[in-house]
């Protein structure tokens, strides 16, 4: 499960105590304007509770910095960077931020509560069907493309950081390692490696902070698609160091080597995202989303040029009724032409016989 990027432990045990709560007269645990219901997730920096915002009477996810009042300045800045980065994003594919604040020295932010599960949990039952994997990746890529247009790079995309709601729609969360391109952040120094080794690109594995830009998220999207199709990330070793070495030194095994039944064009899209050189990947997350849409619609993908004959065949598969009518008309024209020329030849032959007689 850790290889799938599911680095958050899910807990519904009400015996787990919140970091800095108080209790009202009814015994309900309170944190400022929020009633804490239960802990739902815990990561390296924060802990997330299901809570009710009393003033607005709505259920939310409330995230607090894990070290509470003992958090140092860097912890607080990084925590607020996550909240502010996500708060600037308003997209249906991104979990929304409602409020950022501090209560009795405890930094927190509240966000939309997604009733569902993470992609990492969905993968526990096995790889996803190709079309489902492509559709989820397309929607996530569109959300990330929007984030890029707003100056936010996620830098930690993986199945564990994508939630799937009750209607099956994916939503990106956890912007804890996000980079805002409009701010010269000093939270991550050069040479410092942060992220999930199995899903990070070579430039991030090397700690080249200045080079970790939009193509890094394109790589991670390809790694996530790879995982959705095969139930394993493109690089996986016994420990993080060996995984990072694979990221830097080896090429990902083509997905059709793992499952020959997977579509060739989907493999081409996936492997283009995983190029070591960022310049050889898709130019943007939106370009990746567009190519996945082409594949889903049965159109030629841009990652692999196709000839005219193949384009015609793919068009026929997309438009079977029109192609059938065109074929009938073409056959009719051919038959009509053949009859016409047969009659012309017969007429010439009779004329020749008459002239000879």
């Amino acid at each position: 499960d850790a290889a799938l990027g599911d680095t958050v432990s899910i807990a519904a045990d009400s015996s787990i105590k919140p970091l800095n709560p108080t209790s009202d007269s009814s015994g309900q645990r309170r944190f400022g304007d929020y009633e804490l219901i239960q802990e739902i997730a815990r990561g390296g920096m924060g802990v997330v509770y299901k809570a009710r915002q009393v003033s607005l009477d709505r259920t939310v996810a409330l995230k607090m910095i894990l070290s509470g009042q003992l958090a140092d300045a860097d912890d607080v800045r990084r925590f607020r960077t996550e909240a502010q980065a996500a708060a600037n994003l308003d997209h249906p594919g991104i979990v929304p931020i409602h409020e950022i604040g501090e209560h009795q020295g405890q930094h927190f932010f509240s966000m939309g509560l997604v009733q569902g599960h993470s992609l990492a949990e969905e993968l526990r039952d096995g790889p996803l069907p190709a079309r489902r994997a492509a559709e989820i990746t397309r929607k996530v890529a569109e959300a990330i493309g929007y984030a890029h247009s707003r100056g936010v790079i996620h830098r930690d995309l993986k199945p564990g950081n994508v939630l799937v709601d009750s209607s099956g729609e994916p939503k990106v969360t956890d912007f804890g390692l996000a980079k805002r391109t409009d701010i010269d952040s000093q939270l991550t120094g050069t040479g410092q490696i942060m992220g999930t080794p199995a899903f990070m690109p070579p430039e991030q594995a090397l700690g080249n902070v200045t080079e970790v830009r939009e193509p890094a998220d394109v790589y991670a999207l390809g790694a996530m698609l790879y995982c959705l199709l095969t139930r394993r990330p493109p690089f996986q070793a016994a420990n993080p160091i060996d995984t990072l070495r694979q990221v830097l030194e080896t090429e990902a095994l083509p997905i059709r080597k793992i499952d020959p039944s997977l579509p060739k064009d989907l493999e081409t899209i996936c492997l283009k995202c995983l190029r070591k050189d960022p310049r050889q990947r898709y130019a943007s997350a939106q370009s990746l989303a567009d190519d996945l849409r082409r594949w889903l619609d049965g159109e030629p993908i841009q990652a692999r040029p196709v000839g005219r004959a193949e384009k015609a065949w793919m068009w026929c598969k997309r438009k079977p009724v029109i192609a059938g009518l065109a074929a009938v008309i073409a056959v009719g024209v051919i038959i009509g032409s053949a009859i016409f020329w047969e009659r012309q030849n017969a007429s010439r032959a009779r004329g020749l016989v008459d002239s000879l007689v």
Side-chain angles (χ1 to χ4, degrees):
D1 292 339
L4 298 179
D6 189 13
T7 56
V8 207
S9 58
I10 304 298
D13 186 355
S14 58
S15 66
I16 297 176
K17 302 299 181 184
L19 298 178
N20 191 22
T22 58
S23 298
D24 58 19
S25 58
S26 64
Q28 179 68 50
R29 292 176 295 173
R30 291 288 295 269
F31 181 83
D33 189 31
Y34 299 89
E35 291 179 352
L36 304 181
I37 300 173
Q38 69 179 55
E39 180 180 330
I40 55 176
R42 182 179 292 260
M45 181 186 298
V47 57
V48 183
Y49 293 94
K50 179 180 179 181
R52 185 177 77 89
Q53 188 172 5
V54 178
S55 61
L56 298 177
D57 191 24
R58 65 178 175 184
T59 303
V60 300
L62 183 69
K63 184 169 185 177
M64 302 183 219
I65 194 166
L66 196 59
S67 47
Q69 295 173 332
L70 301 178
D72 61 27
D74 281 348
D75 289 337
V76 173
R77 282 201 301 270
R78 186 173 291 115
F79 185 80
R80 292 189 69 85
T81 294
E82 172 185 2
Q84 291 167 356
N88 288 325
L89 305 177
D90 182 13
H91 190 278
I94 297 175
V95 178
I97 298 294
H98 297 319
E99 181 185 11
I100 305 172
E102 180 181 353
H103 175 66
Q104 297 180 351
Q106 178 77 56
H107 294 270
F108 74 91
F109 63 84
S110 65
M111 51 190 169
L113 180 67
V114 178
Q115 300 286 358
H117 55 271
S118 73
L119 272 181
E121 292 177 83
E122 193 165 328
L123 282 169
R124 288 171 182 165
D125 296 329
L128 303 188
R131 291 192 64 84
R132 169 70 172 158
E135 184 63 28
I136 286 179
T137 306
R138 181 189 68 80
K139 291 179 178 179
V140 173
E142 287 183 342
I144 293 301
Y146 166 80
H148 290 173
S149 72
R150 302 287 294 176
V152 176
I153 305 170
H154 192 283
R155 299 198 298 183
D156 196 23
L157 290 169
K158 57 187 178 183
N161 285 344
V162 176
L163 303 178
V164 181
D165 66 17
S166 56
S167 61
E169 294 297 312
K171 297 184 181 295
V172 181
T173 186
D174 200 341
F175 284 76
L177 296 183
K179 175 182 178 181
R180 292 179 61 185
T181 57
D182 59 337
I183 295 177
D184 183 17
S185 174
Q186 301 298 321
L187 294 177
T188 306
T190 301
Q192 185 177 5
I193 301 173
M194 300 188 70
T196 306
F199 294 90
M200 69 170 60
E203 61 269 28
Q204 192 169 344
L206 286 170
N208 294 336
V209 179
T210 57
E211 296 183 17
V212 179
R213 300 189 63 82
E214 290 84 352
D217 281 348
V218 172
Y219 178 99
L221 287 164
M224 189 173 71
L225 175 60
Y226 191 108
C227 191
L228 297 181
L229 293 169
T230 66
R231 201 180 175 272
R232 50 162 286 185
F235 301 104
Q236 183 178 1
N239 58 72
I241 299 300
D242 287 341
T243 300
L244 289 173
R245 186 175 291 113
Q246 289 182 5
V247 169
L248 293 170
E249 298 175 357
T250 63
E251 295 295 333
L253 183 68
I255 59 174
R256 284 162 56 85
K257 295 285 187 182
I258 301 171
D259 183 355
S261 69
L262 290 171
K264 180 177 178 58
D265 278 356
L266 200 53
E267 177 185 71
T268 302
I269 292 173
C270 186
L271 294 180
K272 182 175 177 64
C273 295
L274 296 175
R275 298 285 181 86
K276 303 292 187 189
D277 185 347
R279 295 169 297 181
Q280 295 180 350
R281 300 170 198 156
Y282 283 98
S284 66
Q286 186 58 52
S287 296
L288 166 60
D290 292 341
D291 229 9
L292 285 168
R293 192 267 310 158
R294 291 185 191 94
W295 181 81
L296 287 164
D297 291 345
E299 299 176 6
I301 62 171
Q302 289 190 344
R304 182 178 68 85
V306 296
R308 292 182 179 178
E310 187 174 356
K311 284 183 180 179
W313 173 244
M314 295 177 74
W315 183 88
C316 290
K317 290 197 296 183
R318 294 197 310 274
K319 311 284 187 180
V321 175
I322 298 176
L325 290 174
V328 170
I329 293 171
V331 170
V333 169
I334 292 172
I335 294 174
S337 299
I339 293 173
F340 172 78
W341 287 110
E342 180 66 26
R343 289 177 177 174
Q344 285 289 94
N345 290 335
S347 177
R348 289 196 189 96
R350 284 195 299 271
L352 179 59
V353 171
D354 291 343
S355 64
L356 288 175
V357 170

